[in-house]
Amino acid sequence: MIPLRMLVSRLGAQTTRLLVPHDVQVFSWQYRSSGPPATFPKSRGGGDSSYMEEMYFAWLENPQSVHKSWDNFFRKANEEASSGLVQPQPPTVIPESRPALSSRTKTSKVVEDHLAVQSLIRAYQIRGHHVAQLDPLGILDADLDSFVPSDLITTIDKLAFYDLRETDLDKEFQLPTTTFIGGSESTLSLREIIRRLESTYCQHIGLEFMFINDVEQCQWIRQKFETPGIMQFSSEEKRTLLARLVRSMRFEDFLARKWSSEKRFGLEGCEVMIPALKTIIDKSSEMGIENVILGMPHRGRLNVLANVIRKDLEQIFCQFDPKLEAADEGSGDVKYHLGMYHERINRATNRNITLSLVANPSHLEAVDPVVQGKTKAEQFYRGDSEGKKVMSILVHGDAAFAGQGVVYETFHLSDLPSYTTNGTVHVVVNNQVCYRRRGHNEMDEPMFTQPLMYKQIHRQVPVLKKYADKLIAEGTVTLQEFEEEIAKYDRICEEAYGRSKDKKILDIKHWLDSPWPGFFNVDGEPKSMTCPSTGIPEDTLTHIGTVASSVPLEGFKIHTGLSRILRSRADMTKNRTVDWALAEYMAFGSLLQEGIHVRLSGQDVERGTFSHRHHVLHDQDVDRRTCVPMNHLWPDQAPYTVCNSSLSEYGVLGFELGYAMASPNALVLWEAQFGDFHNTAQCIIDQFISTGQAKWVRHNGIVLLLPHGMEGMGPEHSSARPERFLQMSNDDSDAYPAFTEDFEVSQLYDCNWIVVNCSTPASYFHVLRRQILLPFRKPLIIFTPKSLLRHPEARSSFDQMVSGMCFQRVIPEDGAAALAPEQVQRLIFCTGKVYYDLVKERSSRGLEEQVAITRLEQISPFPFDLIKQEAEKYQGAELVWCQEEHKNMGYYDYISPRFTTILSRARPIWYVGRDPAAAPATGNRNTHLVSLKKFLDTAFNLQGFKGKKF
């Protein structure tokens, strides 16, 4: 075996230079056998350039595994090294030219030229896009010689970089397997190689792909672009492209003529996006895709709706009529944010295809994870585990794609098992390749800031005219045919415009992006306004508890600590009680029995942040062997998915929202690791969850589990910021409601979301089941506990969960105070964990008969009817609201005006809790305990509010 350094020397420093990035320095590599070190190049970026090394070791193992040129080279080098002809001298610098021909054999000259051509081909594949003609305006002002890569043959003299000469241009060279420029030919002249490389990589398409680590993917791209003639369109394809360009451009022209002073965020300057999207959809349909889900910003959205989704034009045009009355409740949204769902025949394939364009706010990239989640759900319900039936397309603006972090948060979900959609087509509208003919919107004057650019834009010939002239010149279409195509589409637009004038009412429901056939009645209303009991039979509770406390797989070894947890569950089941984790298990399990798919997602949700859930068991002896007992409850149950997400809130919450859009018959939950972590997903909460129905008539039953509680854990692990959710709740604090028979359900139907803070496991169980049993869907915000997960008093009996029982919006006092309400001096209202602090303090002071404590399990919509009953029951008592949060946070600002309304301003509702503060909680344990003691003292000081004015 010859030392590898001999091969480096034999190869020649110039050829070594061709195998690695041009900008290199020398480093020393210790060969793994005995002998002196060999010298290899190393890039200044720090990465090893080990191409030749890999070739050599592959050749040693199997000479047939490398290209025959490498085989010949290594054999020759080996022979010469064995005969002592070569005296290698490790180079300390890289020389600028290789040794003279007289010092080497003729064979090695052929090898070096061959390797030089391979390097030339690779240079175009890597860096050809740097000289691609991508600027339609022709205003790039850089000196080309200053940035054109030196290894691209832009002039004849650059052949010298490869130690080639003009006389070599007509020599034939063997093509490597890493290029397809030869087509059926295995050799080409150097002149033709350069011509074909320039045609592929240096024209109007820039290809940057060689960073991809997957060789198969790189080969696929090379084959699709390098194969001779592959980019040529047939006459029929050209005519189709022209017709689609006509529709794309004339649609924008029509809107500009009819509504010249309206913002519409048109596509002018990038009209080719419409035929591009339609071609993607055609090809996808041809390959078996049945459902395409799109997400995009507002630029070009109306054009996509009209010419890709095929929304009725009159419904688009009537959106411009300011006199139309809205038929739907809620705010609606501007026309360039709306979505659409449409099933139609794809004309290119004559196959059915479903197209959905998901509604999106002005937050350009916020829709990305929503689209991915909806796509994943549609794949799941179809059993499409490989993404062969359902796919997604995301359209981006170049600046937003580069600048908005949710793009990356969406990308890094792509390979997670429970999040992957098996690939997405991303279309980036690059304003350095396309351009905006009208600036940011139609009312914007871009000449203020880009005068020279827009002078050039105004001189641009529209792409439709350019392409039509080209096809007319080559005889593909005639001028008359082109003009008839324009007249035909103009007539379609005018007729639709005429029909749009007959419309008197604007229906946003016609723009729904995710309809649920059969869930609502034909008018889109709930089929009833009742909710059945959320309790379940006791034998079902027992069965679920039994499975939850066992390991369904044989020979599966669990952690000893987990064994204790399972024994505890078995004991609770035997004693007919549940803690928080077991109540959740029973809610999920019972829904699975009823055919409801349950999906729980978030950071560390499989185990639970507080190590309480353990829905995925891990074999302690077999790596990656897991068991999900929840999927072993019944033979014909619905599937349960529990999945640890990436370390993302914005992207993952958006994904789960999209997942919940696909079907009403699924309970989809996202759990924050700590409640306040939702603030990095605030865009999804504000723009989609709280307002989605009002803007887009879109119901969604997503559940947010937000761990919350003041326990001395510091400002970032305490508050889920309930005040923010309550501030965005749409129930009117000043409106005294009419208490009809269906008041509870009607109130839920009218709200934009439901906010609860459960104080018992049974409440948590019932509210999860109610979420599915309601005849409509609303987002559910649950402030979940931390310390209550293991609090000995936070247990519920089976009696509170069996058939006939239901969720209690308010849990009234049921102790001594309730037996003699006329003797009660103070009625404390509270919610969540603070109830247990209050009960303990009341007991220690012996005030069970003087102080009643009532819990609000549902905070919004506000339970006016039940609060009124409680206040009237304790007519002589002071009313106090007690919370552990600071006064400017928590619930007080929400509940106070509603108490005032329901009490007709006759009685005050006093505040007890922590003082106002900037941070939600202290990081000092002692400070926490001192403030807790202070407000508990106030809560039970029955003289504390005497003589004070409210």
Side-chain angles (χ1 to χ4, degrees), residues 22 203 208 218 236 246 282 290 401 435-437 451 496 528 537 574 586 620 628 658-659 667 675 679 745 852 864 871:
H22 181 51
Q203 298 304 309
E208 188 175 6
C218 286
E236 187 60 33
V246 166
D282 290 347
E290 300 170 353
F401 186 76
Y435 57 89
R436 295 176 185 266
R437 185 168 286 276
S528 72
K574 182 179 178 180
M586 290 178 172
Q620 299 298 296
V628 181
Y659 198 101
L667 182 68
N679 55 19
V745 176
F864 286 100

Side-chain angles (χ1 to χ4, degrees), residues 536 544 585-598 634 637-638 667 765 768-773:
I536 60 176
I544 296 172
Y585 216 109
M586 290 178 172
F588 290 177
S590 59
L591 291 172
L592 295 172
Q593 183 189 26
E594 296 163 16
I596 301 299
H597 168 48
V598 178
W634 289 278
Q637 68 173 70
L667 182 68
F765 166 85
L768 289 175
R769 286 187 49 78
R770 186 184 73 171
Q771 186 69 357
I772 289 297
L773 295 178

Side-chain angles (χ1 to χ4, degrees), residues 248-258 268 438:
S248 176
M249 191 156 185
R250 298 302 289 180
F251 176 80
E252 298 293 351
D253 290 347
F254 185 83
L255 296 184
R257 291 197 307 271
K258 296 296 184 182
E268 292 99 329
R438 299 181 184 272

